[in-house]
C-alpha cells in the first residue's frame, strides 16, 4: 500500500469535509472530532456526490436519495428512499488515513 499526501490538517477542521481527487478516484475526506477518515465520494446507489451531503458527526447523508453512510467505515447505517420505495444500498469503500506532521495521507492499493 502506498500513502499519498492529499491535504494539510488545517484545511479540514473538526466537522468539515473535503473532496479529494486521487488516482482517478474522487474521495471524501472528513474530520470527525479530530480524526481524519476517507471514503469513496460516489454513492454506490446511483452515484450521488456524498461531498454534497450533510456531515453530521460520523455520518454523511447522500443528497440524492438520503442513504446515510458512516464516514469512518463506509458502511450504510440507513438506506434511502425513492418516493415510498425503500432502497437496499451497498457499503462504500473506506481508505486508511494517516497523519505525518501536518500532512494528511491516504493509503491506496
Ligand atoms: S444515489 Fe445515493 S442514495 Fe441514491
Amino acid at each position: 500500500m502506498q500513502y499519498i499526501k492529499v491535504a494539510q490538517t488545517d484545511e479540514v477542521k473538526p466537522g468539515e469535509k473535503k473532496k479529494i481527487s486521487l488516482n482517478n478516484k474522487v474521495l471524501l475526506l472528513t474530520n470527525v472530532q479530530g480524526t481524519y477518515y476517507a471514503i469513496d465520494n460516489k454513492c454506490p446507489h446511483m452515484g450521488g456526490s456524498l461531498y454534497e451531503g450533510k456531515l453530521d458527526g460520523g455520518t454523511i447523508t447522500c443528497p440524492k436519495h438520503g442513504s446515510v453512510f458512516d464516514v469512518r467505515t463506509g458502511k450504510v447505517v440507513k438506506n434511502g428512499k425513492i418516493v415510498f420505495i425503500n432502497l437496499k444500498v451497498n457499503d462504500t469503500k473506506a481508505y486508511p488515513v494517516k497523519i505525518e506532521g501536518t500532512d494528511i495521507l491516504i493509503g491506496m492499493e
Side-chain angles (χ1 to χ4, degrees), residues 43 47-50 52-54 60-69:
C43 178
S49 170
L50 298 179
E52 311 300 330
K54 183 173 184 287
I60 190 117
T61 303
C62 178
K64 275 199 165 176
H65 309 115
S67 290
V68 181
F69 298 87

Side-chain angles (χ1 to χ4, degrees), residues 12-16 31-34 36:
V12 191
K13 298 192 169 49
E16 291 185 351
N31 180 335
V32 180
Q33 296 177 341
Y36 296 87

Side-chain angles (χ1 to χ4, degrees), residues 35-97:
T35 305
Y36 296 87
Y37 300 95
I39 60 174
D40 274 329
N41 184 59
K42 188 173 163 187
C43 178
H45 176 233
M46 286 177 67
S49 170
L50 298 179
Y51 175 78
E52 311 300 330
K54 183 173 184 287
L55 179 63
D56 185 9
T59 61
I60 190 117
T61 303
C62 178
K64 275 199 165 176
H65 309 115
S67 290
V68 181
F69 298 87
D70 189 322
V71 297
R72 296 162 289 201
T73 62
K75 296 210 177 305
V76 174
V77 293
K78 183 171 172 253
N79 285 296
K81 280 186 182 182
I82 298 179
V83 194
F84 53 86
I85 302 168
N86 289 318
L87 303 175
K88 177 69 188 108
V89 178
N90 293 327
D91 296 336
T92 191
K93 183 170 170 43
Y95 298 85
V97 177

Side-chain angles (χ1 to χ4, degrees), residues 6-20 27-38 51 55 71 97 99 102-106:
V6 296
Q8 297 283 304
T9 50
D10 63 359
E11 291 176 53
V12 191
K13 298 192 169 49
E16 291 185 351
K17 55 190 162 53
K18 183 176 174 71
K19 202 169 13 170
I20 305 283
L27 307 182
L28 173 70
L29 177 67
T30 52
N31 180 335
V32 180
Q33 296 177 341
T35 305
Y36 296 87
Y37 300 95
Y51 175 78
L55 179 63
V71 297
V97 177
I99 306 299
T102 57
D103 295 340
I104 304 173
L105 300 91
I106 295 180

